[in-house]
Amino acid sequence: MRSATITRQTAETDISVTINLDGTGSYDNQTGIGFFDHMLDQLARHSLIDMTIRAKGDLHIDDHHTVEDTGIALGQALAQALGDKRGIVRYGSCLLPMDDALVRTALDLSARPFLIWNVDLPTAKIGTFDTELVREFFTAFATQGGITLHVDMLHGFNSHHIAEATFKSVARALRQAVETDPRKADAIPSTKGAL
Ligand SMILES: [Mn+2]
């Protein structure tokens, strides 16, 4: 079973993340930020990665530390659960529509963190949630997860739909990339022999 638990404590946040890459997409995510929980639930549901997250952060300041640090812990959990990446498909992509929003993700579980983010969220807030934190989350997740992550918005005018489409699109791409390749289950998918 490819799973991992990460606990991370700082003066700003106290976070635990447990994931299972070979799951069914079950989730129990509680960060104290309603919209963010909704997004993390989408990430689990559409990647088929089981996900349990507890985050207690300094929300009296704002949501920034909690969202960023959850991204860090989730990225670390992904990297740990992948181990030496033997047998994985490695690459994934997804073109995902949600009403007005159309978002394209291409990713490589390369151990070379890189985020290309061409997503324009037209409002500063979704409810009480700062929309700029969507990018902060994926920056932290890609950096700690060792993901080359390209996310491009092709259309969209509703911030909730656009944000949700980014999480679903990344989730679907991730689902492909973490899958075990039945034709190469014993090999690390790189001509270098290491990822
Ligand atoms: Mn929604």
Side-chain angles (χ1 to χ4, degrees):
M1 197 90 92
R2 298 178 300 167
S3 59
T5 295
I6 296 287
T7 58
R8 187 177 187 278
Q9 267 182 292
T10 70
E12 296 169 345
T13 61
D14 183 352
I15 294 172
S16 74
V17 170
T18 297
I19 61 169
N20 173 17
L21 301 185
D22 301 301
T24 56
S26 66
Y27 52 82
D28 179 7
N29 300 318
Q30 298 177 29
T31 66
I33 306 166
F35 182 74
F36 188 41
D37 290 349
H38 181 40
M39 294 301 102
L40 293 169
D41 294 350
Q42 302 297 342
L43 193 56
R45 175 65 186 82
H46 289 281
S47 65
L48 302 186
I49 296 172
D50 292 345
M51 200 175 286
T52 301
I53 297 175
R54 292 289 180 277
K56 286 198 182 77
D58 52 3
L59 302 181
H60 60 286
I61 296 175
D62 67 4
D63 298 347
H64 193 115
H65 301 139
T66 303
V67 171
E68 183 176 27
D69 292 0
T70 300
I72 289 171
L74 192 59
Q76 290 174 343
L78 177 70
Q80 186 173 308
L82 283 168
D84 69 1
K85 300 179 182 168
R86 194 172 299 276
I88 65 167
V89 170
R90 181 179 165 181
Y91 296 97
S93 63
C94 177
L95 185 61
L96 191 131
M98 182 172 175
D99 299 353
D100 53 291
L102 181 63
V103 173
R104 181 183 64 207
T105 296
L107 62 80
D108 176 11
L109 299 174
S110 59
R112 291 195 304 278
F114 208 100
L115 178 67
I116 295 289
W117 183 259
N118 290 313
V119 178
D120 180 28
L121 292 151
T123 61
K125 295 270 191 185
I126 300 169
T128 60
F129 185 81
D130 293 320
T131 51
E132 66 181 9
L133 297 181
V134 178
R135 182 183 186 148
E136 294 303 307
F137 170 81
F138 283 112
T139 299
F141 181 57
T143 301
Q144 298 295 324
I147 308 167
T148 304
L149 178 61
H150 290 241
V151 184
D152 294 279
M153 173 188 130
L154 284 76
H155 305 292
F157 52 76
N158 179 281
S159 291
H160 186 124
H161 292 156
I162 295 165
E164 188 162 341
T166 65
F167 276 85
K168 287 177 166 171
S169 177
V170 171
R172 286 277 166 169
L174 206 49
R175 172 178 170 177
Q176 295 170 6
V178 304
E179 203 72 24
T180 300
D181 186 339
R183 292 175 60 191
K184 273 288 188 188
D186 59 339
I188 292 165
S190 168
T191 54
K192 292 178 189 167
L195 275 174

